[in-house]
Amino acid sequence: MQLRNSSSRYGAVSIFIHWLVALAVFGLFALGWWMVGLDYYDPWRKEAPDLHKSIGLTLLAVMLLRVVWRWISPAPPALTSYSRATRIGAKLGHGFLYLGLFAVMIAGYLISTSEGVGIPVFGLFEVPALISNLPDQADVAGVVHLYLAWAVVIFAGLHGLVALKHHFIDRDATLTRMLGRDA
């Protein structure tokens, strides 16, 4: 299997990062939804947020790697069968997913560091609190984190549905290219 993207398909690195991010996003959303309902005496009350933060910061690093990789190994060009509207929609949709993910993660960081305390990552190291004590930092960042997380997850679900539409209705190579097969 090729590592880099080609003119007809995505390479192994792009495919791996794509599916890793998808798994992390949906996993973080599920974990976040579950953990906010834990009661005070639940043993996971402290463990779940720590795990959520550690995975979230790892996802931030993966997303930064993804942006660098996309610059090193550009995505294959859009299929010639795409209409102009489809090409524009794809660019805007991917742009929203990238920006939305980064905004969710930055908001999560701002929630966690609002009191000037760094964030431990899997007990291995700590990400320092570079920005803290802004007025209502945790509250404002919390609202942004919540609503953008919902928006990103809903949009990512739509992204998946559109890929399935391309595969089963349009019968084009949109999905197969992300599975490492030629167009």
Side-chain angles (χ1 to χ4, degrees):
M1 180 177 261
Q2 68 187 34
L3 293 179
R4 293 177 62 117
N5 299 332
S6 72
S7 62
S8 62
R9 69 178 175 179
Y10 289 92
V13 173
S14 294
I15 293 168
F16 177 75
I17 292 172
H18 175 271
W19 294 110
L20 179 65
V21 168
L23 179 66
V25 165
F26 285 100
L28 281 167
F29 186 80
L31 178 59
W33 191 357
W34 173 71
M35 74 183 191
V36 297
L38 296 174
D39 70 22
Y40 183 79
Y41 297 104
D42 194 300
W44 279 94
R45 184 168 167 81
K46 168 128 178 53
E47 299 298 323
D50 288 348
L51 181 60
H52 186 84
K53 293 172 196 178
S54 292
I55 295 170
L57 286 168
T58 303
L59 178 59
L60 176 60
V62 169
M63 283 299 297
L64 291 171
L65 173 66
R66 185 176 191 174
V67 169
V68 169
W69 183 252
R70 195 165 171 121
W71 183 71
I72 292 169
S73 182
L79 296 175
T80 56
S81 60
Y82 288 176
S83 68
R84 184 171 189 271
T86 299
R87 291 171 195 260
I88 292 169
K91 284 208 180 292
L92 291 174
H94 286 110
F96 173 77
L97 285 170
Y98 275 78
L99 291 174
L101 269 173
F102 279 115
V104 167
M105 292 183 287
I106 290 167
Y109 171 82
L110 291 173
I111 295 165
S112 300
T113 60
S114 65
E115 295 179 7
V117 177
I119 306 168
V121 179
F122 298 115
L124 300 173
F125 61 92
E126 185 173 286
V127 174
L130 300 174
I131 302 170
S132 60
N133 297 316
L134 296 173
D136 300 317
Q137 180 174 329
D139 293 336
V140 171
V143 169
V144 169
H145 190 72
L146 172 66
Y147 288 108
L148 265 180
W150 273 101
V152 166
V153 164
I154 290 168
F155 205 82
L158 292 172
H159 172 71
L161 290 174
V162 168
L164 292 173
K165 177 245 184 213
H166 276 284
H167 188 73
F168 291 109
I169 296 173
D170 299 342
R171 298 199 182 276
D172 66 28
T174 300
L175 182 59
T176 56
R177 293 193 320 169
M178 187 44 75
L179 297 173
R181 298 187 195 124
D182 284 319

